[in-house]
Amino acid sequence: MSNCFVRQCKSPSMTNLSYPEKPVRQLSEAEARNELGELAIRLARADYDYHTRGEPDLEDAEYDRLKQRNRDIEAAWPRLKRPDSPSDRVGAPGSGAFAKVVHRVRMLSLDNAFTEEDVRNFDSRVRSHLGLADAQPLTYLAEPKIDGLSLSLRYEACALVQAATRGDGEVGEDVTANALMIADIPATLPESAPQLLEVRGEVYMSHEDFEELNARQQARGEKTFANPRNAAAGSLRQLDARITASRPLRFFAYALGEVSEQLADSQSRAVRELRSHGFAVNDLNRTCMGADGMIERYREIELRRGELGYDIDGVVYKVDDLALQSRLGARSTTPRWATAHKLPSETAFTRIRDIEIQVGRTGALSPVARLEPVTVGGVRVSNATLHNEDYIKGRSGDGGLIREGRDIRVGDRVEVYRAGDVIPKVLDVDISARPEKSAPYAFPETCPECDSPAVREEGDSVTRCTGGMGCPAQAVERLKHFVSRGAFDIEGLGAKQVEQFYEWGWIEEPADIFELEKGRGNELADKFGWREKSAANLFAAIQVRKRIAFQRLIFALGIRHVGESASALLAGHYGKFESLVASIDAMESMEGEKWDELTGIDGIGDVMARSVLEAFRGESRRALDRLVSVLDEVVDAERPDVASSPFAGKTVVFTGTLERMTRKEAKTRAEAAGARVSGSVSVRTDLVVAGAGAGSKARKAATLGVEIIDEDEWLARIDSGN
């Protein structure tokens, strides 16, 4: 890596900071003083982004490198150490949105080790402090360092009375209501637990849950998260605990704070005791002997990193004996008895050979970097996503700077990032290695597949082809989606077959699939080399799918913003496909009774509703009508038997804070009784259930003369069926 290449972080004043990275021993006193000032600003901003905003912009590896350089300069020039030195700081103050909590036992940070030599030095320092010879046995506990959000749980008389974030180590934020929504965190402990027990651990989100959450967010037209750590932090620090309850948060316990009595005499046994009290603890925790044992365990965990299903950024070593921990004590911000051996960041540097545009099923033009192949995180990578036009230009969707405004060009030397199964992406550009004659990348104004104009609507970060089904790329991608799992799921008809059939002119829109046997049955064996039985199996699989569930049909259409969950909402509300079509046909504009009904479905907002409307207009409607004409049946949405229910067909709105049930539970029970749950009040609303703090919806209901009842009355009615 060039000495001139440094990823820069925006300071609180948004001032661009830069300095030449000379070796520390070559710095003059003035240079050292200036660099310490810049590092203090950059690291303070990074701490604020990580601990207060919950949205870090600086990669962990770069943060660690900058903090180490700050320590190295301070060691060389001790009299220049600043009063606000990052070396003396843990975390950052809270946001002010939550009540403050003073940690009775400080939540310290950890010193870092980056090499095997660092680990051996840590072991030597511990032994020196304790007066132990190198040959004397010394046991450590090694555990994965979870990349999440630190949390402290305080139990008194076996009940959770307070949960607090780390904050700056001394003062955190009270997130008790939210912590109680996490399944891994017990609300009460067994009677055998100490009267006072403070448990510390990490809130995190698995890769699978993160992907599902982002899919739901995108389907609702809401903000998606950059990574699992940001998602976990943002979900825990919600002012409405019900939002936290809807997020798939998890928790690993790994340490103790204040206790009325010790659970055990060692760290490893104390953690096992926490498991017996109902806490989730990491299965990879192991004791090991000395420096060699720690390094061996590090290598074992490093090999398993990609298969864990959650993010880790290192391995933490702790002296196992708690009495020895007490003797070792702590420095101002870090304990002497523990260190974090950081895993290498899953990044690598390579060159961009070309930038190509891929066109998706909704017309989105997605730029992809074609790379000189490089191994990243043990995987050979030759492509990386560039997201959109703004990302290439070095700007975010709101106009802010990415990479301090450095753009991405063909020929650039770039840093590529990959974590787990995440698609590789370009993080930064080495400007010092940029070819002299390079030119900024010009994003296309027309679709590279069909030459239709490519437009970017106001407020949208994506440029889209306007060619619709006339664009070959969109047509193929929509057909692939149509036959995918969750949609028509036609066995034997995958992406490869769809591409080939489209190229031959056999299928251009979904209805053509169901007429393949009639028009092309005899040619399949000749052109594709299929055996007669294979062709027969394909046609049989297609025939089976001529009968399709309402919600699967909606999902198969590939409507922008409408995923599987939204498809189920639409099907559940309208019941019959014909009812949805009739309602949309009755809409002359995006207003009126039918529009209010569509947007009033809980979980369907204006953005999604507009997409649904567009999918039932123009050429898309013609293709849809033709598809329905070749199907045998669109099966009505399943509904509970509510013939005797007084709520059957009624539209119910829940507003305010429900105290005896969650909003999700209320919705489920209402729908089970045959009611339709809406997110807004209109003349079609039959009943409003008003909880504590009900506001504008209750007032509107009163104005319209809609019946309003409280939560207790609702439960009494739903339980009695009256």
Side-chain angles (χ1 to χ4, degrees), residues 621-642:
R621 176 57 179 273
R622 184 205 63 76
L624 175 59
D625 287 344
R626 181 170 171 241
L627 168 64
V628 174
S629 72
V630 299
L631 296 177
D632 291 339
E633 181 185 8
V634 178
V635 181
D636 296 345
E638 291 185 8
R639 290 189 170 185
D641 182 8
V642 293

Side-chain angles (χ1 to χ4, degrees), residues 54-96:
E55 295 182 3
D57 289 329
L58 197 65
E59 292 294 315
D60 285 353
E62 181 66 358
Y63 176 89
D64 292 337
R65 190 187 68 78
L66 293 178
K67 201 157 187 178
Q68 184 60 48
R69 183 167 176 83
N70 185 85
R71 285 194 291 265
D72 291 344
I73 296 174
E74 288 176 343
W77 300 88
R79 65 177 178 274
L80 298 182
K81 185 174 179 179
R82 297 166 56 92
D84 61 344
S85 169
S87 301
D88 298 332
R89 188 170 60 241
V90 177
S95 66

Side-chain angles (χ1 to χ4, degrees), residues 677-692:
V677 178
S678 176
S680 60
V681 176
S682 70
V683 293
R684 297 176 58 85
T685 304
D686 297 295
L687 181 67
V688 170
V689 180

Side-chain angles (χ1 to χ4, degrees), residues 226-441:
N227 54 58
R229 196 270 166 194
N230 285 14
S235 299
L236 180 65
R237 300 176 69 256
Q238 289 287 332
L239 294 177
D240 186 346
R242 293 170 297 182
I243 298 178
T244 302
S246 71
R247 303 283 174 80
L249 295 180
R250 304 185 181 191
F251 179 79
F252 275 135
Y254 55 65
L256 299 175
E258 186 179 20
V259 294
S260 57
E261 59 182 277
Q262 287 291 353
L263 293 180
D265 58 358
S266 70
Q267 185 81 30
S268 57
R269 282 191 284 273
V271 171
R272 287 198 294 272
E273 282 296 309
L274 288 178
R275 185 194 295 274
S276 71
H277 289 337
F279 291 96
V281 300
N282 199 289
D283 291 333
L284 296 180
N285 293 355
R286 297 286 189 279
T287 55
C288 45
M289 299 299 294
D292 288 340
M294 287 188 283
I295 292 169
E296 180 180 359
R297 186 59 187 153
Y298 173 90
R299 291 171 180 165
E300 292 170 354
I301 292 177
E302 183 179 26
L303 288 174
R304 298 186 59 180
R305 181 183 191 180
E307 63 186 46
L308 295 179
Y310 51 83
D311 288 338
I312 65 172
D313 57 5
V315 178
V316 177
Y317 308 129
K318 300 174 181 176
V319 172
D320 194 41
D321 190 306
L322 295 180
L324 295 182
Q325 286 187 14
S326 180
R327 286 174 54 189
L328 286 160
R331 309 175 192 87
S332 59
T333 61
T334 60
R336 293 189 181 90
W337 44 265
T339 194
H341 190 176
K342 301 304 286 285
L343 286 161
S345 178
E346 294 185 308
T347 63
F349 284 86
T350 187
R351 292 274 179 186
I352 294 182
R353 291 176 170 175
D354 196 6
I355 296 177
E356 295 182 2
I357 299 294
Q358 294 181 342
V359 183
R361 63 180 171 85
T362 63
L365 271 58
S366 301
V368 176
R370 304 302 184 191
L371 309 170
E372 293 181 1
V374 63
T375 299
V376 185
V379 176
R380 197 69 170 165
V381 169
S382 56
N383 304 308
T385 179
L386 296 176
H387 301 292
N388 53 45
E389 181 180 11
D390 287 338
Y391 192 82
I392 293 176
K393 291 181 176 180
R395 296 189 176 277
S396 61
D398 59 6
L401 298 182
I402 300 173
R403 304 180 303 274
E404 296 296 324
R406 292 184 286 277
D407 67 329
I408 296 173
R409 306 180 183 183
V410 174
D412 274 347
R413 182 173 183 264
V414 294
E415 184 180 15
V416 181
Y417 168 81
R418 179 185 178 277
D421 294 328
V422 176
I423 298 172
K425 63 182 180 181
V426 172
L427 282 181
D428 215 335
V429 182
D430 184 353
I431 295 294
S432 68
R434 173 168 283 173
E436 291 184 6
K437 296 182 179 181
S438 72
Y441 178 75

Side-chain angles (χ1 to χ4, degrees), residues 183-244:
D184 288 342
I185 296 178
T188 59
L189 301 181
E191 293 181 359
S192 58
Q195 285 297 295
L196 170 60
L197 180 65
E198 187 179 352
V199 179
R200 291 175 174 177
E202 202 83 1
V203 175
Y204 70 103
M205 192 175 291
S206 72
H207 294 157
E208 181 179 358
D209 288 338
F210 168 71
E211 291 169 3
E212 291 179 359
L213 172 62
N214 262 355
R216 291 197 299 272
Q217 294 288 105
Q218 186 174 20
R220 296 168 182 160
E222 298 175 359
K223 173 186 173 182
T224 57
F225 298 94
N227 54 58
R229 196 270 166 194
N230 285 14
S235 299
L236 180 65
R237 300 176 69 256
Q238 289 287 332
L239 294 177
D240 186 346
R242 293 170 297 182
I243 298 178
T244 302

Side-chain angles (χ1 to χ4, degrees), residues 482 487-490 514 539-553 627-638:
F482 184 84
F488 273 70
D489 192 20
I490 299 174
F514 298 95
F539 296 138
I542 293 173
Q543 187 66 33
V544 167
R545 291 306 186 193
K546 283 190 172 183
R547 185 176 185 273
I548 194 74
F550 180 5
Q551 71 182 63
R552 291 176 75 100
L553 172 60
L627 168 64
V628 174
S629 72
V630 299
L631 296 177
D632 291 339
E633 181 185 8
V634 178
V635 181
D636 296 345
E638 291 185 8

Side-chain angles (χ1 to χ4, degrees), residues 526-689:
D526 295 336
K527 296 199 69 169
F528 211 68
W530 283 27
R531 295 181 179 179
E532 184 177 340
K533 183 177 180 181
S534 299
N537 288 341
L538 173 62
F539 296 138
I542 293 173
Q543 187 66 33
V544 167
R545 291 306 186 193
K546 283 190 172 183
R547 185 176 185 273
I548 194 74
F550 180 5
Q551 71 182 63
R552 291 176 75 100
L553 172 60
I554 295 297
F555 178 65
L557 298 179
I559 302 171
R560 186 179 169 195
H561 303 306
V562 179
E564 290 186 81
S565 297
S567 299
L569 289 174
L570 289 167
H573 179 81
Y574 289 100
K576 297 177 179 291
F577 177 70
E578 295 80 8
S579 299
L580 171 61
V581 173
S583 182
I584 291 176
D585 286 347
M587 294 182 203
E588 296 181 357
S589 62
M590 289 185 291
E591 57 184 22
E593 181 180 333
K594 296 297 184 182
W595 173 256
D596 289 343
E597 179 185 1
L598 176 59
T599 57
I601 300 172
D602 195 20
I604 305 290
D606 286 355
V607 172
M608 197 180 296
R610 281 195 295 270
S611 292
V612 172
L613 210 59
E614 291 170 3
F616 284 73
R617 296 281 192 264
E619 183 63 20
S620 297
R621 176 57 179 273
R622 184 205 63 76
L624 175 59
D625 287 344
R626 181 170 171 241
L627 168 64
V628 174
S629 72
V630 299
L631 296 177
D632 291 339
E633 181 185 8
V634 178
V635 181
D636 296 345
E638 291 185 8
R639 290 189 170 185
D641 182 8
V642 293
S644 61
S645 171
F647 300 105
K650 302 291 186 181
T651 299
V652 179
V653 173
F654 294 95
T655 184
T657 302
L658 303 180
E659 298 176 347
R660 297 177 59 186
M661 56 185 168
T662 65
R663 184 66 63 87
K664 184 176 182 180
E665 180 185 0
K667 180 181 177 182
T668 300
R669 295 195 66 182
E671 290 176 342
R676 295 174 176 174
V677 178
S678 176
S680 60
V681 176
S682 70
V683 293
R684 297 176 58 85
T685 304
D686 297 295
L687 181 67
V688 170
V689 180

